Short mmCIF file of all heavy atoms in Angstrom, two decimals:
data_model
loop_
_atom_site.label_atom_id
_atom_site.label_comp_id
_atom_site.label_asym_id
_atom_site.label_seq_id
_atom_site.Cartn_x
_atom_site.Cartn_y
_atom_site.Cartn_z
N MET A 1 -22.45 11.74 -7.96
CA MET A 1 -21.50 12.42 -8.85
C MET A 1 -21.74 11.96 -10.27
O MET A 1 -22.80 11.50 -10.62
CB MET A 1 -20.08 12.15 -8.35
CG MET A 1 -19.02 13.00 -8.96
SD MET A 1 -19.49 14.73 -8.93
CE MET A 1 -18.22 15.45 -9.80
N CYS A 2 -20.76 12.02 -11.09
CA CYS A 2 -20.91 11.72 -12.51
C CYS A 2 -20.66 10.23 -12.75
O CYS A 2 -19.53 9.76 -12.65
CB CYS A 2 -19.92 12.57 -13.30
SG CYS A 2 -20.34 12.70 -15.01
N ARG A 3 -21.69 9.50 -13.06
CA ARG A 3 -21.59 8.05 -13.21
C ARG A 3 -20.72 7.62 -14.37
O ARG A 3 -20.24 6.49 -14.40
CB ARG A 3 -22.97 7.44 -13.34
CG ARG A 3 -23.81 7.63 -12.11
CD ARG A 3 -25.20 7.07 -12.34
NE ARG A 3 -26.13 7.56 -11.33
CZ ARG A 3 -26.45 6.88 -10.25
NH1 ARG A 3 -25.93 5.70 -10.04
NH2 ARG A 3 -27.29 7.38 -9.38
N SER A 4 -20.51 8.46 -15.36
CA SER A 4 -19.73 8.06 -16.52
C SER A 4 -18.22 8.19 -16.30
O SER A 4 -17.44 7.78 -17.14
CB SER A 4 -20.15 8.85 -17.76
OG SER A 4 -19.93 10.21 -17.56
N ILE A 5 -17.81 8.75 -15.18
CA ILE A 5 -16.39 8.82 -14.87
C ILE A 5 -16.01 7.50 -14.21
O ILE A 5 -16.54 7.14 -13.17
CB ILE A 5 -16.04 9.99 -13.92
CG1 ILE A 5 -16.37 11.32 -14.59
CG2 ILE A 5 -14.55 9.95 -13.56
CD1 ILE A 5 -16.18 12.53 -13.68
N LYS A 6 -15.08 6.76 -14.85
CA LYS A 6 -14.68 5.47 -14.30
C LYS A 6 -13.42 5.61 -13.45
O LYS A 6 -12.66 6.57 -13.59
CB LYS A 6 -14.45 4.47 -15.42
CG LYS A 6 -13.33 4.82 -16.35
CD LYS A 6 -13.19 3.79 -17.45
CE LYS A 6 -12.01 4.13 -18.34
NZ LYS A 6 -11.73 3.13 -19.31
N THR A 7 -13.22 4.65 -12.57
CA THR A 7 -12.03 4.62 -11.74
C THR A 7 -10.82 4.36 -12.63
O THR A 7 -10.84 3.44 -13.44
CB THR A 7 -12.15 3.52 -10.66
OG1 THR A 7 -13.32 3.80 -9.89
CG2 THR A 7 -10.93 3.49 -9.76
N LEU A 8 -9.78 5.15 -12.47
CA LEU A 8 -8.61 5.06 -13.35
C LEU A 8 -7.35 4.56 -12.65
O LEU A 8 -6.25 4.91 -13.04
CB LEU A 8 -8.34 6.44 -13.98
CG LEU A 8 -9.43 6.99 -14.89
CD1 LEU A 8 -9.03 8.36 -15.41
CD2 LEU A 8 -9.71 6.05 -16.04
N ARG A 9 -7.51 3.75 -11.64
CA ARG A 9 -6.32 3.20 -10.98
C ARG A 9 -6.44 1.69 -10.89
O ARG A 9 -7.53 1.15 -10.89
CB ARG A 9 -6.14 3.80 -9.59
CG ARG A 9 -7.21 3.36 -8.61
CD ARG A 9 -6.77 3.58 -7.16
NE ARG A 9 -7.80 3.17 -6.25
CZ ARG A 9 -7.96 1.93 -5.80
NH1 ARG A 9 -7.16 0.99 -6.19
NH2 ARG A 9 -8.94 1.63 -4.96
N PRO A 10 -5.29 1.02 -10.79
CA PRO A 10 -5.33 -0.43 -10.59
C PRO A 10 -5.98 -0.74 -9.25
O PRO A 10 -5.86 0.07 -8.33
CB PRO A 10 -3.85 -0.83 -10.57
CG PRO A 10 -3.13 0.31 -11.22
CD PRO A 10 -3.95 1.53 -10.95
N PRO A 11 -6.66 -1.81 -9.07
CA PRO A 11 -6.86 -2.91 -10.02
C PRO A 11 -8.07 -2.69 -10.93
O PRO A 11 -8.40 -3.55 -11.74
CB PRO A 11 -7.10 -4.09 -9.10
CG PRO A 11 -7.80 -3.50 -7.92
CD PRO A 11 -7.20 -2.13 -7.75
N PHE A 12 -8.72 -1.55 -10.85
CA PHE A 12 -9.91 -1.30 -11.66
C PHE A 12 -9.58 -1.09 -13.13
O PHE A 12 -10.33 -1.48 -14.01
CB PHE A 12 -10.68 -0.08 -11.12
CG PHE A 12 -11.09 -0.24 -9.69
CD1 PHE A 12 -10.39 0.39 -8.68
CD2 PHE A 12 -12.16 -1.06 -9.35
CE1 PHE A 12 -10.75 0.22 -7.36
CE2 PHE A 12 -12.53 -1.23 -8.02
CZ PHE A 12 -11.82 -0.58 -7.02
N THR A 13 -8.48 -0.45 -13.41
CA THR A 13 -8.04 -0.18 -14.78
C THR A 13 -6.54 -0.44 -14.84
O THR A 13 -5.78 0.14 -14.08
CB THR A 13 -8.32 1.29 -15.17
OG1 THR A 13 -9.71 1.54 -14.99
CG2 THR A 13 -7.95 1.56 -16.61
N ASP A 14 -6.13 -1.33 -15.73
CA ASP A 14 -4.71 -1.65 -15.84
C ASP A 14 -3.91 -0.59 -16.57
O ASP A 14 -2.87 -0.17 -16.12
CB ASP A 14 -4.52 -3.01 -16.52
CG ASP A 14 -4.98 -4.16 -15.65
OD1 ASP A 14 -4.85 -4.05 -14.41
OD2 ASP A 14 -5.48 -5.15 -16.20
N GLU A 15 -4.40 -0.16 -17.72
CA GLU A 15 -3.70 0.84 -18.51
C GLU A 15 -4.54 2.09 -18.64
O GLU A 15 -5.66 2.03 -19.12
CB GLU A 15 -3.40 0.28 -19.90
CG GLU A 15 -1.94 0.10 -20.15
CD GLU A 15 -1.70 -0.46 -21.53
OE1 GLU A 15 -1.75 0.33 -22.50
OE2 GLU A 15 -1.46 -1.66 -21.63
N VAL A 16 -4.00 3.20 -18.23
CA VAL A 16 -4.71 4.47 -18.32
C VAL A 16 -3.95 5.37 -19.28
O VAL A 16 -2.75 5.56 -19.14
CB VAL A 16 -4.81 5.15 -16.94
CG1 VAL A 16 -5.48 6.49 -17.05
CG2 VAL A 16 -5.55 4.26 -15.97
N THR A 17 -4.66 5.92 -20.24
CA THR A 17 -4.03 6.81 -21.21
C THR A 17 -4.31 8.27 -20.85
O THR A 17 -5.20 8.55 -20.04
CB THR A 17 -4.57 6.54 -22.63
OG1 THR A 17 -5.96 6.89 -22.66
CG2 THR A 17 -4.40 5.08 -23.03
N ASP A 18 -3.56 9.16 -21.47
CA ASP A 18 -3.82 10.59 -21.29
C ASP A 18 -5.24 10.92 -21.75
O ASP A 18 -5.91 11.78 -21.16
CB ASP A 18 -2.82 11.42 -22.10
CG ASP A 18 -1.41 11.34 -21.54
OD1 ASP A 18 -1.25 10.96 -20.35
OD2 ASP A 18 -0.46 11.65 -22.28
N LYS A 19 -5.69 10.23 -22.78
CA LYS A 19 -7.05 10.44 -23.29
C LYS A 19 -8.09 10.07 -22.24
O LYS A 19 -9.09 10.77 -22.07
CB LYS A 19 -7.25 9.61 -24.56
CG LYS A 19 -8.56 9.83 -25.25
CD LYS A 19 -8.63 9.02 -26.54
CE LYS A 19 -9.99 9.21 -27.18
NZ LYS A 19 -10.11 8.47 -28.44
N ASP A 20 -7.86 8.98 -21.50
CA ASP A 20 -8.78 8.58 -20.43
C ASP A 20 -8.86 9.64 -19.34
O ASP A 20 -9.94 9.97 -18.86
CB ASP A 20 -8.32 7.26 -19.78
CG ASP A 20 -8.37 6.06 -20.70
OD1 ASP A 20 -9.26 6.00 -21.58
OD2 ASP A 20 -7.50 5.18 -20.53
N ILE A 21 -7.71 10.17 -18.95
CA ILE A 21 -7.66 11.18 -17.90
C ILE A 21 -8.34 12.46 -18.37
O ILE A 21 -9.11 13.07 -17.62
CB ILE A 21 -6.20 11.44 -17.47
CG1 ILE A 21 -5.61 10.16 -16.86
CG2 ILE A 21 -6.12 12.59 -16.47
CD1 ILE A 21 -4.11 10.21 -16.62
N HIS A 22 -8.08 12.87 -19.60
CA HIS A 22 -8.72 14.07 -20.14
C HIS A 22 -10.23 13.89 -20.21
O HIS A 22 -10.99 14.82 -19.87
CB HIS A 22 -8.14 14.40 -21.52
CG HIS A 22 -8.71 15.65 -22.10
ND1 HIS A 22 -9.81 15.65 -22.92
CD2 HIS A 22 -8.36 16.94 -21.95
CE1 HIS A 22 -10.10 16.88 -23.26
NE2 HIS A 22 -9.23 17.69 -22.69
N ALA A 23 -10.69 12.72 -20.64
CA ALA A 23 -12.13 12.46 -20.74
C ALA A 23 -12.81 12.56 -19.38
O ALA A 23 -13.90 13.11 -19.24
CB ALA A 23 -12.39 11.10 -21.37
N ALA A 24 -12.16 12.03 -18.35
CA ALA A 24 -12.71 12.11 -16.99
C ALA A 24 -12.77 13.56 -16.52
O ALA A 24 -13.75 14.00 -15.92
CB ALA A 24 -11.88 11.26 -16.03
N ALA A 25 -11.71 14.33 -16.81
CA ALA A 25 -11.69 15.75 -16.42
C ALA A 25 -12.79 16.52 -17.14
O ALA A 25 -13.47 17.35 -16.53
CB ALA A 25 -10.32 16.35 -16.73
N LEU A 26 -12.98 16.24 -18.41
CA LEU A 26 -14.02 16.90 -19.18
C LEU A 26 -15.40 16.58 -18.60
O LEU A 26 -16.24 17.48 -18.43
CB LEU A 26 -13.94 16.47 -20.65
CG LEU A 26 -14.99 17.04 -21.59
CD1 LEU A 26 -14.93 18.56 -21.61
CD2 LEU A 26 -14.79 16.46 -22.98
N GLN A 27 -15.65 15.32 -18.27
CA GLN A 27 -16.93 14.94 -17.68
C GLN A 27 -17.16 15.65 -16.36
O GLN A 27 -18.26 16.10 -16.06
CB GLN A 27 -17.01 13.43 -17.49
CG GLN A 27 -17.25 12.67 -18.76
CD GLN A 27 -18.56 13.05 -19.41
OE1 GLN A 27 -18.57 13.76 -20.40
NE2 GLN A 27 -19.65 12.60 -18.88
N TYR A 28 -16.11 15.75 -15.56
CA TYR A 28 -16.20 16.43 -14.26
C TYR A 28 -16.57 17.90 -14.45
O TYR A 28 -17.48 18.42 -13.79
CB TYR A 28 -14.88 16.28 -13.51
CG TYR A 28 -14.86 16.99 -12.19
CD1 TYR A 28 -15.53 16.46 -11.09
CD2 TYR A 28 -14.20 18.20 -12.04
CE1 TYR A 28 -15.53 17.12 -9.86
CE2 TYR A 28 -14.20 18.87 -10.82
CZ TYR A 28 -14.86 18.32 -9.75
OH TYR A 28 -14.86 18.98 -8.55
N VAL A 29 -15.86 18.59 -15.35
CA VAL A 29 -16.13 20.01 -15.58
C VAL A 29 -17.53 20.20 -16.14
O VAL A 29 -18.24 21.13 -15.74
CB VAL A 29 -15.05 20.63 -16.50
CG1 VAL A 29 -15.43 22.04 -16.91
CG2 VAL A 29 -13.70 20.63 -15.79
N ARG A 30 -17.95 19.32 -17.03
CA ARG A 30 -19.32 19.41 -17.55
C ARG A 30 -20.34 19.27 -16.43
O ARG A 30 -21.33 20.00 -16.39
CB ARG A 30 -19.55 18.32 -18.59
CG ARG A 30 -18.90 18.59 -19.92
CD ARG A 30 -19.10 17.42 -20.85
NE ARG A 30 -18.62 17.73 -22.18
CZ ARG A 30 -18.44 16.83 -23.13
NH1 ARG A 30 -18.71 15.55 -22.91
NH2 ARG A 30 -18.00 17.19 -24.31
N LYS A 31 -20.09 18.33 -15.53
CA LYS A 31 -21.04 18.08 -14.44
C LYS A 31 -21.13 19.28 -13.50
O LYS A 31 -22.21 19.74 -13.18
CB LYS A 31 -20.61 16.83 -13.67
CG LYS A 31 -21.52 16.44 -12.55
CD LYS A 31 -22.85 15.96 -13.10
CE LYS A 31 -23.71 15.40 -11.99
NZ LYS A 31 -24.94 14.83 -12.50
N ILE A 32 -19.98 19.78 -13.05
CA ILE A 32 -20.05 20.85 -12.05
C ILE A 32 -20.45 22.20 -12.65
O ILE A 32 -21.01 23.03 -11.95
CB ILE A 32 -18.75 20.98 -11.23
CG1 ILE A 32 -17.57 21.37 -12.08
CG2 ILE A 32 -18.47 19.68 -10.48
CD1 ILE A 32 -16.36 21.78 -11.25
N SER A 33 -20.16 22.40 -13.95
CA SER A 33 -20.54 23.66 -14.58
C SER A 33 -21.99 23.65 -15.06
O SER A 33 -22.59 24.71 -15.21
CB SER A 33 -19.62 23.98 -15.76
OG SER A 33 -19.87 23.10 -16.85
N GLY A 34 -22.51 22.47 -15.33
CA GLY A 34 -23.85 22.37 -15.88
C GLY A 34 -23.92 22.60 -17.38
O GLY A 34 -25.00 22.70 -17.94
N PHE A 35 -22.75 22.68 -18.04
CA PHE A 35 -22.69 22.90 -19.48
C PHE A 35 -22.08 21.70 -20.18
O PHE A 35 -21.02 21.23 -19.79
CB PHE A 35 -21.81 24.11 -19.83
CG PHE A 35 -22.32 25.41 -19.32
CD1 PHE A 35 -21.59 26.13 -18.39
CD2 PHE A 35 -23.52 25.93 -19.77
CE1 PHE A 35 -22.04 27.35 -17.91
CE2 PHE A 35 -23.99 27.16 -19.30
CZ PHE A 35 -23.25 27.86 -18.37
N ARG A 36 -22.73 21.22 -21.22
CA ARG A 36 -22.11 20.18 -22.07
C ARG A 36 -21.03 20.84 -22.91
O ARG A 36 -19.94 20.33 -23.07
CB ARG A 36 -23.17 19.53 -22.96
CG ARG A 36 -22.58 18.66 -24.04
CD ARG A 36 -23.18 17.30 -24.09
NE ARG A 36 -22.74 16.46 -25.16
CZ ARG A 36 -21.51 16.08 -25.42
NH1 ARG A 36 -20.52 16.53 -24.72
NH2 ARG A 36 -21.23 15.26 -26.40
N ALA A 37 -21.37 21.99 -23.47
CA ALA A 37 -20.43 22.81 -24.23
C ALA A 37 -20.72 24.25 -23.82
O ALA A 37 -21.84 24.71 -23.92
CB ALA A 37 -20.64 22.62 -25.72
N PRO A 38 -19.72 24.96 -23.33
CA PRO A 38 -19.95 26.32 -22.85
C PRO A 38 -20.16 27.31 -24.00
O PRO A 38 -19.74 27.08 -25.12
CB PRO A 38 -18.67 26.64 -22.09
CG PRO A 38 -17.63 25.85 -22.81
CD PRO A 38 -18.31 24.57 -23.21
N ALA A 39 -20.80 28.42 -23.68
CA ALA A 39 -20.93 29.52 -24.63
C ALA A 39 -19.53 30.08 -24.91
O ALA A 39 -18.61 29.89 -24.11
CB ALA A 39 -21.83 30.60 -24.05
N SER A 40 -19.40 30.78 -26.00
CA SER A 40 -18.07 31.28 -26.40
C SER A 40 -17.42 32.14 -25.33
O SER A 40 -16.20 32.09 -25.15
CB SER A 40 -18.16 32.04 -27.72
OG SER A 40 -19.03 33.15 -27.59
N HIS A 41 -18.20 32.91 -24.59
CA HIS A 41 -17.61 33.77 -23.56
C HIS A 41 -17.14 32.97 -22.33
O HIS A 41 -16.43 33.50 -21.49
CB HIS A 41 -18.58 34.88 -23.14
CG HIS A 41 -19.86 34.39 -22.54
ND1 HIS A 41 -20.93 33.98 -23.30
CD2 HIS A 41 -20.23 34.24 -21.24
CE1 HIS A 41 -21.91 33.59 -22.50
NE2 HIS A 41 -21.51 33.75 -21.24
N ASN A 42 -17.51 31.69 -22.23
CA ASN A 42 -17.05 30.84 -21.13
C ASN A 42 -16.09 29.75 -21.59
O ASN A 42 -15.57 28.99 -20.76
CB ASN A 42 -18.24 30.16 -20.45
CG ASN A 42 -19.05 31.13 -19.63
OD1 ASN A 42 -18.50 32.04 -19.02
ND2 ASN A 42 -20.36 30.94 -19.61
N ALA A 43 -15.83 29.66 -22.88
CA ALA A 43 -15.02 28.57 -23.43
C ALA A 43 -13.61 28.53 -22.86
O ALA A 43 -13.10 27.45 -22.51
CB ALA A 43 -14.97 28.65 -24.95
N GLU A 44 -12.98 29.68 -22.73
CA GLU A 44 -11.60 29.70 -22.22
C GLU A 44 -11.53 29.23 -20.77
O GLU A 44 -10.66 28.42 -20.41
CB GLU A 44 -11.01 31.11 -22.34
CG GLU A 44 -9.53 31.15 -22.00
CD GLU A 44 -8.93 32.54 -22.18
OE1 GLU A 44 -9.43 33.32 -23.00
OE2 GLU A 44 -7.95 32.81 -21.46
N ALA A 45 -12.44 29.69 -19.95
CA ALA A 45 -12.47 29.26 -18.54
C ALA A 45 -12.75 27.76 -18.44
O ALA A 45 -12.14 27.05 -17.64
CB ALA A 45 -13.53 30.04 -17.77
N PHE A 46 -13.66 27.27 -19.27
CA PHE A 46 -14.00 25.85 -19.31
C PHE A 46 -12.77 25.02 -19.68
O PHE A 46 -12.44 24.05 -18.99
CB PHE A 46 -15.12 25.66 -20.36
CG PHE A 46 -15.79 24.33 -20.35
CD1 PHE A 46 -16.91 24.10 -19.57
CD2 PHE A 46 -15.34 23.30 -21.16
CE1 PHE A 46 -17.56 22.88 -19.59
CE2 PHE A 46 -15.97 22.08 -21.19
CZ PHE A 46 -17.09 21.87 -20.41
N GLU A 47 -12.07 25.41 -20.73
CA GLU A 47 -10.87 24.68 -21.17
C GLU A 47 -9.74 24.74 -20.14
O GLU A 47 -9.03 23.75 -19.94
CB GLU A 47 -10.39 25.20 -22.53
CG GLU A 47 -11.29 24.81 -23.67
CD GLU A 47 -11.50 23.29 -23.77
OE1 GLU A 47 -10.53 22.53 -23.64
OE2 GLU A 47 -12.66 22.88 -23.99
N ARG A 48 -9.57 25.89 -19.50
CA ARG A 48 -8.56 26.00 -18.44
C ARG A 48 -8.87 25.04 -17.30
O ARG A 48 -7.98 24.39 -16.75
CB ARG A 48 -8.47 27.43 -17.90
CG ARG A 48 -7.60 28.34 -18.71
CD ARG A 48 -7.24 29.63 -17.94
NE ARG A 48 -8.36 30.24 -17.23
CZ ARG A 48 -9.14 31.20 -17.71
NH1 ARG A 48 -8.93 31.68 -18.92
NH2 ARG A 48 -10.13 31.69 -16.99
N ALA A 49 -10.14 24.93 -16.95
CA ALA A 49 -10.54 24.02 -15.88
C ALA A 49 -10.29 22.57 -16.27
O ALA A 49 -9.77 21.79 -15.47
CB ALA A 49 -12.01 24.23 -15.52
N VAL A 50 -10.64 22.22 -17.49
CA VAL A 50 -10.39 20.84 -17.96
C VAL A 50 -8.90 20.54 -17.91
O VAL A 50 -8.48 19.48 -17.43
CB VAL A 50 -10.96 20.62 -19.38
CG1 VAL A 50 -10.52 19.27 -19.94
CG2 VAL A 50 -12.48 20.72 -19.38
N GLN A 51 -8.08 21.46 -18.37
CA GLN A 51 -6.63 21.25 -18.37
C GLN A 51 -6.08 21.11 -16.95
O GLN A 51 -5.27 20.23 -16.66
CB GLN A 51 -5.91 22.39 -19.10
CG GLN A 51 -4.43 22.18 -19.26
CD GLN A 51 -4.07 20.95 -20.04
OE1 GLN A 51 -4.74 20.59 -21.01
NE2 GLN A 51 -3.03 20.26 -19.64
N ALA A 52 -6.51 21.99 -16.05
CA ALA A 52 -6.03 21.93 -14.67
C ALA A 52 -6.43 20.62 -14.00
O ALA A 52 -5.63 20.01 -13.28
CB ALA A 52 -6.57 23.12 -13.88
N ILE A 53 -7.65 20.17 -14.23
CA ILE A 53 -8.12 18.93 -13.62
C ILE A 53 -7.43 17.73 -14.26
O ILE A 53 -7.09 16.76 -13.57
CB ILE A 53 -9.65 18.84 -13.69
CG1 ILE A 53 -10.24 19.93 -12.78
CG2 ILE A 53 -10.16 17.46 -13.28
CD1 ILE A 53 -11.71 20.17 -12.95
N THR A 54 -7.16 17.80 -15.55
CA THR A 54 -6.40 16.73 -16.22
C THR A 54 -5.02 16.59 -15.59
O THR A 54 -4.58 15.49 -15.25
CB THR A 54 -6.28 17.01 -17.73
OG1 THR A 54 -7.58 17.03 -18.31
CG2 THR A 54 -5.44 15.95 -18.43
N GLU A 55 -4.34 17.71 -15.41
CA GLU A 55 -2.99 17.70 -14.82
C GLU A 55 -3.02 17.21 -13.38
O GLU A 55 -2.18 16.40 -12.97
CB GLU A 55 -2.37 19.09 -14.90
CG GLU A 55 -2.03 19.50 -16.32
CD GLU A 55 -1.65 20.96 -16.45
OE1 GLU A 55 -1.51 21.66 -15.42
OE2 GLU A 55 -1.49 21.41 -17.61
N ALA A 56 -3.98 17.69 -12.59
CA ALA A 56 -4.08 17.26 -11.19
C ALA A 56 -4.40 15.76 -11.11
O ALA A 56 -3.85 15.05 -10.26
CB ALA A 56 -5.15 18.07 -10.46
N SER A 57 -5.26 15.29 -11.99
CA SER A 57 -5.63 13.88 -11.98
C SER A 57 -4.44 13.00 -12.37
O SER A 57 -4.21 11.95 -11.75
CB SER A 57 -6.79 13.62 -12.95
OG SER A 57 -7.93 14.34 -12.55
N ALA A 58 -3.68 13.41 -13.37
CA ALA A 58 -2.49 12.66 -13.78
C ALA A 58 -1.47 12.61 -12.65
O ALA A 58 -0.88 11.55 -12.37
CB ALA A 58 -1.88 13.28 -15.03
N ALA A 59 -1.28 13.73 -11.95
CA ALA A 59 -0.34 13.76 -10.82
C ALA A 59 -0.82 12.84 -9.70
O ALA A 59 -0.02 12.12 -9.10
CB ALA A 59 -0.18 15.19 -10.31
N LEU A 60 -2.11 12.87 -9.42
CA LEU A 60 -2.66 12.00 -8.39
C LEU A 60 -2.44 10.54 -8.74
O LEU A 60 -1.93 9.77 -7.92
CB LEU A 60 -4.16 12.27 -8.22
CG LEU A 60 -4.92 11.27 -7.33
CD1 LEU A 60 -4.44 11.36 -5.89
CD2 LEU A 60 -6.41 11.51 -7.44
N LEU A 61 -2.80 10.15 -9.94
CA LEU A 61 -2.65 8.75 -10.35
C LEU A 61 -1.19 8.30 -10.33
O LEU A 61 -0.89 7.17 -9.96
CB LEU A 61 -3.26 8.54 -11.73
CG LEU A 61 -4.78 8.66 -11.79
CD1 LEU A 61 -5.26 8.65 -13.24
CD2 LEU A 61 -5.46 7.55 -10.99
N ALA A 62 -0.29 9.19 -10.70
CA ALA A 62 1.14 8.86 -10.71
C ALA A 62 1.69 8.67 -9.31
O ALA A 62 2.66 7.94 -9.10
CB ALA A 62 1.92 9.93 -11.44
N SER A 63 1.07 9.30 -8.32
CA SER A 63 1.61 9.23 -6.96
C SER A 63 0.92 8.22 -6.07
O SER A 63 1.39 7.95 -4.97
CB SER A 63 1.56 10.62 -6.31
OG SER A 63 0.22 11.03 -6.15
N LEU A 64 -0.19 7.65 -6.51
CA LEU A 64 -0.90 6.66 -5.69
C LEU A 64 -0.11 5.36 -5.58
O LEU A 64 0.50 4.92 -6.55
CB LEU A 64 -2.27 6.34 -6.29
CG LEU A 64 -3.32 7.42 -6.21
CD1 LEU A 64 -4.58 6.96 -6.93
CD2 LEU A 64 -3.64 7.77 -4.77
N GLU A 65 -0.14 4.78 -4.42
CA GLU A 65 0.46 3.46 -4.20
C GLU A 65 -0.68 2.50 -3.88
O GLU A 65 -1.44 2.72 -2.94
CB GLU A 65 1.45 3.50 -3.05
CG GLU A 65 2.68 4.32 -3.35
CD GLU A 65 3.69 4.28 -2.22
OE1 GLU A 65 3.76 3.25 -1.50
OE2 GLU A 65 4.39 5.28 -2.05
N VAL A 66 -0.78 1.46 -4.68
CA VAL A 66 -1.81 0.45 -4.47
C VAL A 66 -1.15 -0.71 -3.73
O VAL A 66 -0.10 -1.20 -4.15
CB VAL A 66 -2.40 -0.02 -5.82
CG1 VAL A 66 -3.46 -1.08 -5.60
CG2 VAL A 66 -2.99 1.17 -6.56
N ARG A 67 -1.76 -1.11 -2.64
CA ARG A 67 -1.17 -2.20 -1.85
C ARG A 67 -0.93 -3.43 -2.72
O ARG A 67 -1.78 -3.82 -3.50
CB ARG A 67 -2.09 -2.58 -0.70
CG ARG A 67 -2.10 -1.55 0.38
CD ARG A 67 -2.89 -2.03 1.56
NE ARG A 67 -2.92 -0.98 2.56
CZ ARG A 67 -3.54 -1.10 3.71
NH1 ARG A 67 -4.19 -2.20 4.00
NH2 ARG A 67 -3.52 -0.10 4.57
N GLY A 68 0.26 -4.00 -2.55
CA GLY A 68 0.62 -5.20 -3.30
C GLY A 68 1.16 -4.92 -4.68
O GLY A 68 1.48 -5.85 -5.41
N GLN A 69 1.28 -3.66 -5.05
CA GLN A 69 1.84 -3.31 -6.37
C GLN A 69 2.87 -2.22 -6.19
O GLN A 69 2.77 -1.37 -5.31
CB GLN A 69 0.74 -2.81 -7.30
CG GLN A 69 -0.26 -3.85 -7.65
CD GLN A 69 -1.29 -3.32 -8.63
OE1 GLN A 69 -1.32 -2.14 -8.95
NE2 GLN A 69 -2.15 -4.19 -9.11
N ARG A 70 3.83 -2.21 -7.08
CA ARG A 70 4.84 -1.15 -7.08
C ARG A 70 4.24 0.11 -7.68
O ARG A 70 3.41 0.03 -8.58
CB ARG A 70 6.04 -1.55 -7.94
CG ARG A 70 6.88 -2.59 -7.29
CD ARG A 70 8.07 -2.79 -8.16
NE ARG A 70 9.08 -3.53 -7.42
CZ ARG A 70 10.03 -4.25 -7.99
NH1 ARG A 70 10.11 -4.33 -9.29
NH2 ARG A 70 10.89 -4.88 -7.25
N PRO A 71 4.68 1.28 -7.22
CA PRO A 71 4.24 2.52 -7.87
C PRO A 71 4.65 2.50 -9.34
O PRO A 71 5.73 2.05 -9.67
CB PRO A 71 4.99 3.62 -7.10
CG PRO A 71 5.39 2.99 -5.81
CD PRO A 71 5.55 1.52 -6.09
N SER A 72 3.78 2.98 -10.21
CA SER A 72 4.04 2.90 -11.65
C SER A 72 5.16 3.83 -12.13
O SER A 72 5.84 3.51 -13.08
CB SER A 72 2.76 3.20 -12.43
OG SER A 72 2.31 4.50 -12.11
N GLY A 73 5.34 4.96 -11.47
CA GLY A 73 6.29 5.94 -12.00
C GLY A 73 7.67 5.90 -11.37
O GLY A 73 8.56 6.58 -11.81
N GLY A 74 7.88 5.10 -10.34
CA GLY A 74 9.13 5.16 -9.62
C GLY A 74 10.03 3.99 -9.89
O GLY A 74 9.62 2.96 -10.40
N ALA A 75 11.30 4.17 -9.58
CA ALA A 75 12.28 3.09 -9.72
C ALA A 75 12.21 2.22 -8.48
O ALA A 75 11.88 2.66 -7.40
CB ALA A 75 13.68 3.67 -9.90
N ALA A 76 12.58 0.97 -8.66
CA ALA A 76 12.56 0.02 -7.53
C ALA A 76 13.69 0.37 -6.56
O ALA A 76 14.77 0.78 -6.96
CB ALA A 76 12.73 -1.40 -8.06
N ALA A 77 13.42 0.21 -5.29
CA ALA A 77 14.44 0.48 -4.26
C ALA A 77 15.45 -0.65 -4.24
O ALA A 77 15.13 -1.80 -4.47
CB ALA A 77 13.77 0.61 -2.91
N SER A 78 16.72 -0.32 -3.98
CA SER A 78 17.73 -1.37 -3.91
C SER A 78 18.13 -1.68 -2.50
O SER A 78 17.98 -0.97 -1.61
CB SER A 78 18.99 -1.02 -4.69
OG SER A 78 19.08 0.25 -5.18
#
């Protein structure tokens, strides 16, 4: 796959920004499409794909539970 996409979950990465997630999505779309920058007639489809993958990746990271750590987005159980 794309070697420049890094793992974005603990313990591999402590702090992940929206920029990190977007960069990974962009690299993924570039890899599977075969385009570094799409032609103008493909730009909208390319950007929609990057956005969809960014959103899906953010949702995935927010819902992952890493053993020995609390989920990042949830409140502690009482």
Side-chain angles (χ1 to χ4, degrees):
M1 193 48 186
C2 199
R3 296 177 196 263
S4 62
I5 298 175
K6 63 181 182 174
T7 302
L8 297 179
R9 68 162 180 86
F12 302 102
T13 304
D14 290 326
E15 246 180 80
V16 177
T17 65
D18 291 341
K19 185 177 177 179
D20 294 327
I21 297 170
H22 183 268
L26 179 59
Q27 284 299 105
Y28 178 76
V29 172
R30 284 176 173 167
K31 182 68 173 185
I32 64 168
S33 71
F35 296 117
R36 168 129 175 58
S40 60
H41 62 277
N42 288 324
E44 187 177 333
F46 192 90
E47 288 304 317
R48 276 195 316 265
V50 171
Q51 185 61 37
I53 293 167
T54 298
E55 291 170 7
S57 298
L60 170 66
L61 292 171
S63 65
L64 289 177
E65 292 183 31
V66 179
R67 288 187 182 180
Q69 295 182 353
R70 287 185 166 156
S72 60
S78 8

